[in-house]
Amino acid sequence: MNILSINLRGDRDSQKLDWIRGIKTSQGVHFLCVQETKISNSEGFLFNQMWGKSAFKLASVDSHGRSGGLVSLWNPTVFSEIETIKHRYFLCVCGFLIPSGIRLNLVNVYVPNDASWRKALRSELLLLRNSRQGLWVFWGDFNDARKPEERLNSEFVAANVEAFNDFILSAALYEYDMGGAKYTYISDRGAKLSKLDRFLECIRFLEN
């Protein structure tokens, strides 16, 4: 199953949507996840332009004002939804792969910048992880680095890193090496760089 995760940051420029659709098509993506849609009405969003003409299902979490917003889209001939769990900062779609019947829980995440919110959210994600059977994949913007070299000219807080790594260990997750660019977030006109976006998966998913 091929998964694509994109942080839109509210930019719904037609060329960017076409770019997303191009990646989705060329890579044979079955499950597309977007963070920071910054919309409160999913009907007004051009999902068709991102996905293309083929059939899809979707679940979404509205933004709060101009902040946040999540959407997950998938190919219904590859993945069948059983349950959707919505939270301001995550969107979990539970279902199974067709035709193997493997149970799969897919979590689209956008973690807030506030440290206390991040701590509370990690606790909720851990409870979610332990509440259901099946394979687990978490991806999106976790707003935390895992080691000093994942920040350049950007604040590195050792306690935050330790808490994030403890969450990954407690949830029995492993980070998938995405390759490509070293950093996933750029601010201050390129002066500050960080790796904040990642895929975290259970070992059984990596083995399939």
Side-chain angles (χ1 to χ4, degrees):
M1 183 179 190
N2 291 337
I3 302 169
L4 174 63
S5 177
I6 298 285
N7 191 318
L8 200 60
R9 296 189 173 88
D11 181 3
R12 299 188 295 279
D13 176 82
S14 179
Q15 289 186 339
K16 188 169 187 178
L17 298 178
D18 289 344
W19 171 73
I20 293 172
R21 187 179 70 252
I23 297 175
K24 178 261 174 185
T25 301
S26 64
Q27 300 300 316
V29 170
H30 306 120
F31 205 102
L32 170 62
C33 311
V34 182
Q35 302 89 42
E36 287 197 89
T37 62
K38 297 187 178 181
I39 58 170
S40 57
N41 181 2
S42 60
E43 293 180 358
F45 196 45
L46 302 178
F47 296 118
N48 284 316
Q49 192 170 348
M50 282 196 303
W51 186 267
K53 295 181 179 180
S54 61
F56 65 88
K57 298 285 188 179
L58 73 83
S60 65
V61 172
D62 288 348
S63 66
H64 285 244
R66 297 292 294 170
S67 175
L70 298 161
V71 64
S72 295
L73 305 93
W74 62 90
N75 183 336
T77 68
V78 174
F79 178 79
S80 179
E81 172 203 10
I82 297 173
E83 177 186 17
T84 298
I85 303 157
K86 297 184 179 184
H87 182 282
R88 179 176 178 178
Y89 295 117
F90 67 80
L91 173 60
C92 177
V93 182
C94 307
F96 59 89
L97 291 176
I98 303 169
S100 69
I102 294 175
R103 180 67 184 259
L104 194 55
N105 307 289
L106 304 166
V107 190
N108 187 1
V109 179
Y110 175 65
V111 178
N113 191 43
D114 181 85
S116 60
W117 273 101
R118 291 205 302 277
K119 180 180 179 181
L121 181 58
R122 282 193 292 263
S123 296
E124 290 192 57
L125 290 174
L126 188 57
L127 287 173
L128 177 67
R129 166 72 171 89
N130 294 328
S131 68
R132 286 160 177 80
Q133 299 295 316
L135 310 186
W136 285 88
V137 187
F138 295 76
W139 62 77
D141 184 349
F142 289 87
N143 230 320
D144 262 319
R146 298 194 65 191
K147 47 191 175 183
E149 53 266 36
E150 291 183 348
R151 296 233 186 226
L152 180 64
N153 301 324
S154 182
E155 184 181 19
F156 178 83
V157 181
N160 292 344
V161 171
E162 182 178 1
F164 184 39
N165 284 326
D166 284 346
F167 158 73
I168 294 172
L169 182 63
S170 298
L173 298 173
Y174 299 83
E175 182 171 2
Y176 179 78
D177 184 5
M178 295 186 292
K182 182 176 180 180
Y183 304 103
T184 64
Y185 178 74
I186 302 173
S187 62
D188 293 349
R189 298 182 179 180
K192 296 182 179 180
L193 305 169
S194 303
K195 180 179 179 181
L196 304 177
D197 302 82
R198 57 191 82 236
F199 277 77
L200 303 174
E201 300 144 350
C202 69
I203 189 65
R204 288 175 56 210
F205 181 84
L206 292 172
E207 293 172 345
N208 277 275

